[in-house]
Amino acid sequence: MALFDPGLQPERNELAWRRTTLAIAAGSLVALRLLPEVFGHALWVIPGAVGLVVSGGVWIAARRRYSTVSASAIAHGDRVPHPDGRLPLVLAVFATSVGALGLAIVVAIALAG
């Protein structure tokens, strides 16, 4: 009895990556809208713009990852090699950076007020 279910596991992973990129894009659009207005300077569009670029890059990388894993699963069945960890690493670095920026903003506001 084979454990392999062609297409479903890679597709679920791809859908999860899609939700992640949509969440990053939505948060970035909110940042684009609110940060310049709250802080009164046009340079505050940079975090939102960077987030949109990262979400687009993660989307493209996730699509490529899905295509590679899906093709390998169809060709080799249960013996599919695991994809590398670059995409989760990029997401972890981005999320940590956003968290550090948010913490810096909160501390700066607390010290100023």
Side-chain angles (χ1 to χ4, degrees), residues 2 9 16 18-19 24 43-44 47 49-50 54 58 75-77 81 83-84 86 95-96 103 110:
Q9 190 271 335
R18 190 179 302 178
R19 285 190 300 270
I24 292 171
L43 284 178
W44 282 102
V50 169
V54 168
V58 169
H76 303 292
D84 61 24
R86 286 183 287 179
T96 303
L103 181 63

Side-chain angles (χ1 to χ4, degrees), residues 20-73:
T20 301
T21 57
L22 287 175
I24 292 171
S28 300
L29 289 173
V30 170
L32 272 173
R33 173 70 176 91
L34 293 180
L35 289 179
E37 185 176 319
V38 169
F39 294 111
H41 199 280
L43 284 178
W44 282 102
V45 299
I46 292 173
V50 169
L52 286 176
V53 169
V54 168
S55 70
V58 169
W59 182 293
I60 292 169
R63 289 297 303 167
R64 288 184 182 157
R65 181 182 173 125
Y66 167 72
S67 297
T68 302
V69 170
S70 182
S72 181

